[in-house]
């Protein structure tokens, strides 16, 4: 299970701050072997587990976890996360400890619209390649999608924390889902991350703020995300690696530009 890679990294690097790890178990109906293995490993290490309902994508599990915890802040990491440095949790919590205006921190952030459905800039060597790519993208399904769904996402720069790994005020997180429904699809989950009524935007509307932290403990406010080296053009300074970071590491140099 992917969880084992996370657990290895969790045991390798000290969090640097007191906390209690809770493993949320979701969507194991068809994989009882992995479920039983994780339960057994966690029991042997005195790690709390919580069975959650399989709805709402990752956010459904996060919400159920938040409802069952009494901590003031929660740190949510998805299954693909692998910790990369010492004092990772202390670094994530440090901005909140220093300035109460921060209600949410993350290991990476973005200015983009929905990443699954917007074009990425690719380095193309010739005009022929550029024209070919343009024509491939100029198709009815893409134009129809952008016409239907672009209004759901805030215009650039769409400041937001990426929700693969983030720390947030628990009550604020719970209150968000009192007025916003859990996602029932991937596109709905993206709306919570970077839509017009995203979790990040909700933090701002409640008078709070958010920032990202790199592996050196440096804080970057939303206007300075691009300087952090944690996402897109230079992924090397992240506290926690997720699926996007892993994909970047494994891809061709040309496609990193």
């Amino acid at each position: 299970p992917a969880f084992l890679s996370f657990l290895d990294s969790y045991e390798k690097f000290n969090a640097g701050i007191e906390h209690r790890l809770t493993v949320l178990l979701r969507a194991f109906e068809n994989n009882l072997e992995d479920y039983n293995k994780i339960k057994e490993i966690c029991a042997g290490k005195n790690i709390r587990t919580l069975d959650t309902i399989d709805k709402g994508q990752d956010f459904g599990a996060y919400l159920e976890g938040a409802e069952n915890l009494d901590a003031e802040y929660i740190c949510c990491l998805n299954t693909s996360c692998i910790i990369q440095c010492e004092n990772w949790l202390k670094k994530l919590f440090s901005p909140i400890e220093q300035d109460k205006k921060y209600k949410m921190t993350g290991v990476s952030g973005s200015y983009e619209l929905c990443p699954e459905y917007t074009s990425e800039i690719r380095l193309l060597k010739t005009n022929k390649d550029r024209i070919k790519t343009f024509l491939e993208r100029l198709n009815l399904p893409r134009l129809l999608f952008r016409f239907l769904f672009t209004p759901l996402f805030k215009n650039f720069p769409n400041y937001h924390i990426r929700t693969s790994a983030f720390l947030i005020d628990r009550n604020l997180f719970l209150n968000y889902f009192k007025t916003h429904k859990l996602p029932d699809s991937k596109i709905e989950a993206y709306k919570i991350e970077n839509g017009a009524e995203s979790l990040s935007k909700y933090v701002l509307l409640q008078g709070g703020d958010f920032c990202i932290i790199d592996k050196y403990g440096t804080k970057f406010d939303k206007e300075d995300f691009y300087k952090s080296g944690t996402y897109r053009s230079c992924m090397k300074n992240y506290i926690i690696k997720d699926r996007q970071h892993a994909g970047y590491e494994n891809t061709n140099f040309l496609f990193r530009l």
Side-chain angles (χ1 to χ4, degrees):
F3 166 73
L4 297 182
S5 295
F6 163 77
L7 186 59
D8 286 344
S9 70
Y10 177 80
E11 293 180 329
K12 179 179 179 181
F13 296 109
N14 193 328
I17 192 171
E18 185 178 348
H19 69 285
R20 183 177 183 186
L21 176 64
T22 300
V23 176
L24 306 175
L25 299 173
R26 177 180 73 87
F28 278 97
E29 291 82 359
N30 298 320
N31 197 345
L32 290 178
E33 183 178 348
D34 279 358
Y35 172 85
N36 291 329
K37 183 176 183 179
I38 292 172
K39 291 278 282 190
E40 182 181 353
I41 291 172
C42 289
K45 296 178 180 291
N46 197 28
I47 296 173
R48 179 186 180 186
T49 60
L50 178 66
D51 293 322
T52 64
I53 54 175
D54 185 17
K55 73 173 186 178
Q57 305 287 315
D58 288 343
F59 291 105
Y62 295 159
L63 179 59
E64 194 166 347
E67 291 171 339
N68 283 274
L69 298 173
D70 57 4
E72 188 175 359
Y73 294 90
I74 56 173
C75 182
C76 302
L77 310 179
N78 72 18
T79 308
S80 68
C81 286
I82 301 177
I83 298 163
Q84 300 292 298
C85 65
E86 292 288 340
N87 300 316
W88 59 276
L89 189 55
K90 181 178 181 180
K91 290 171 182 175
L92 278 174
F93 188 64
S94 179
I96 295 170
E97 202 170 32
Q98 295 173 12
D99 190 338
K100 291 299 182 182
K101 77 173 184 178
Y102 294 110
K103 302 296 182 183
M104 182 181 188
T105 64
V107 304
S108 59
S110 177
Y111 302 153
E112 301 173 0
L113 304 178
C114 181
E116 188 80 355
Y117 298 98
T118 52
S119 300
E120 296 181 359
I121 298 174
R122 302 299 193 195
L123 182 65
L124 301 175
K125 293 183 178 180
T126 66
N127 286 331
K128 180 179 178 180
D129 289 333
R130 295 187 184 101
I131 293 171
K132 179 183 177 182
T133 301
F134 173 78
L135 292 176
E136 288 174 349
R137 291 174 175 174
L138 191 64
N139 59 67
L140 183 59
R142 178 178 292 277
L143 291 175
L144 181 62
F145 178 88
R146 294 186 68 84
F147 175 76
L148 292 175
F149 290 104
T150 295
L152 300 176
F153 299 91
K154 187 172 169 59
N155 292 331
F156 184 91
N158 179 29
Y159 301 120
H160 62 274
I161 296 292
R162 295 183 60 245
T163 54
S164 55
F166 65 99
L167 188 150
I168 191 169
D169 181 295
R170 185 177 73 95
N171 285 330
L172 190 148
F173 183 78
L174 292 173
N175 289 337
Y176 175 82
F177 284 104
K178 289 179 180 178
T179 55
H180 297 76
K181 71 181 185 71
L182 285 170
D184 54 16
S185 65
K186 197 68 174 177
I187 189 67
E188 292 292 324
Y190 277 129
K191 285 168 61 179
I192 292 175
E193 178 176 287
N194 62 20
E197 297 184 5
S198 69
L199 183 58
S200 295
K201 187 176 181 184
Y202 181 77
V203 170
L204 298 177
L205 290 173
Q206 298 304 306
D209 205 350
F210 53 82
C211 62
I212 59 177
I213 315 297
D214 70 8
K215 67 182 181 181
Y216 304 106
T218 306
K219 173 179 68 69
F220 296 87
D221 287 320
K222 51 187 177 294
E223 297 83 3
D224 296 322
F225 281 1
Y226 70 96
K227 299 177 182 178
S228 68
T230 59
Y231 190 55
R232 290 303 186 206
S233 62
C234 183
M235 296 193 199
K236 62 180 181 180
N237 295 333
Y238 40 79
I239 292 176
I240 296 170
K241 179 168 71 175
D242 63 20
R243 188 176 292 108
Q244 293 287 340
H245 295 122
Y248 176 85
E249 290 178 353
N250 295 329
T251 196
N252 186 295
F253 168 75
L254 296 178
F255 285 90
R256 296 183 183 183
L257 302 178

